Amino acid sequence: MKLGIYPGTFDPITNGHLDLIERGLRIFDELIIAVAPSPKKQPLFTLEERLGLIRQSVRDCRNVRVEAFNGLLVSYARDKGGVAIIRGLRAVSDFEYELQMALMNRRLDMQVETVFMMPSEEFSFITSTIVKEVSSFGGSVKGLVPDVVETALKEKFKIIEDIAE
Ligand code: COA
């Protein structure tokens, strides 16, 4: 059984992430979507909310687990028996940072490989950040995120708006 680890902050999960999960399942027998708390990024959704949204979005995918992780990614990947870390490459702009991370992870643990995958071009411009930005101003993100995420974004920004009033 080849296990792939797909890590990220997933604040929130987008259809680009889901596209990558589907692609990952063609290569790996099983995937763990490993969700980092990433407090420095001041996520919009709590860790529990992010896990919940991912779980609802992948409920029809077999062989996918969703877990939170703390600490070093390579240690987590090794503990779980993962053979590779999966990362998405959308554009050249992603490359430099991803290369840094992949090489640092390799230095930390030679056994864990990083596999880069490209999402479908229709999703290549989507980031969680841009989705949040558009949604915060009332713009539609339909088709860019799972329906549960679209609803959760609307609810979240409504709460923020109500607090601000
Ligand atoms: N504030 C909030 N969100 C931001 C941001 C910021 N300043 N900058 C980028 N983002 C969002 C983007 O929208 C992007 O969303 P996407 O998922 O649609 O691409 C996402 O965060 C990109 O951030 P990135 O850092 O590329 O990936 P990530 O946050 O999804 O995952 C980890 C990074 C969790 C894999 C990595 O930090 C990690 O491995 N952490 C564990 C600790 C560790 O081992 N560190 C050593 C790594 S060498």
Side-chain angles (χ1 to χ4, degrees), residues 7-10 14 17 36 38 41 69 71-74 87 90 97-98 100-101 104-105 108 126-130 132:
T9 305
F10 301 102
T14 66
H17 295 128
S38 304
K41 288 190 173 175
F69 80 100
L72 277 182
L73 175 61
V74 284
R87 292 287 290 171
R90 289 168 294 214
Y97 171 66
E98 292 297 335
Q100 266 178 15
M101 270 212 305
M104 179 53 96
N105 283 334
L108 291 168
I126 307 176
T127 68
S128 299
T129 303
I130 208 163
K132 285 181 283 190

Side-chain angles (χ1 to χ4, degrees), residues 5-74:
I5 308 284
Y6 182 29
T9 305
F10 301 102
D11 182 44
I13 187 163
T14 66
N15 285 348
H17 295 128
L18 286 178
D19 180 80
L20 229 71
I21 291 164
E22 278 171 26
R23 286 171 200 283
L25 283 170
R26 292 186 207 147
I27 299 177
F28 298 93
D29 301 305
E30 199 186 349
L31 286 187
I32 295 183
I33 305 175
V35 186
S38 304
K40 278 194 212 143
K41 288 190 173 175
Q42 299 186 299
L44 176 68
F45 292 99
T46 65
L47 180 60
E48 286 309 317
E49 287 171 334
R50 283 179 273 147
L51 289 165
L53 289 171
I54 301 169
R55 287 195 177 113
Q56 289 180 72
S57 305
V58 300
R59 63 175 178 263
D60 295 331
C61 299
R62 291 181 61 214
N63 305 327
V64 177
R65 274 184 280 159
V66 184
E67 292 185 0
F69 80 100
N70 272 300
L72 277 182
L73 175 61
V74 284

Side-chain angles (χ1 to χ4, degrees), residues 6 10-17 41 88-91 93-94 119 122-135 141 144-145 149 153:
Y6 182 29
F10 301 102
D11 182 44
I13 187 163
T14 66
N15 285 348
H17 295 128
K41 288 190 173 175
L89 273 187
R90 289 168 294 214
S93 49
D94 283 343
E122 66 186 292
F123 301 126
S124 60
F125 67 97
I126 307 176
T127 68
S128 299
T129 303
I130 208 163
V131 159
K132 285 181 283 190
E133 167 85 7
V134 168
S135 192
V141 291
L144 304 182
V145 294
V149 172
L153 280 164

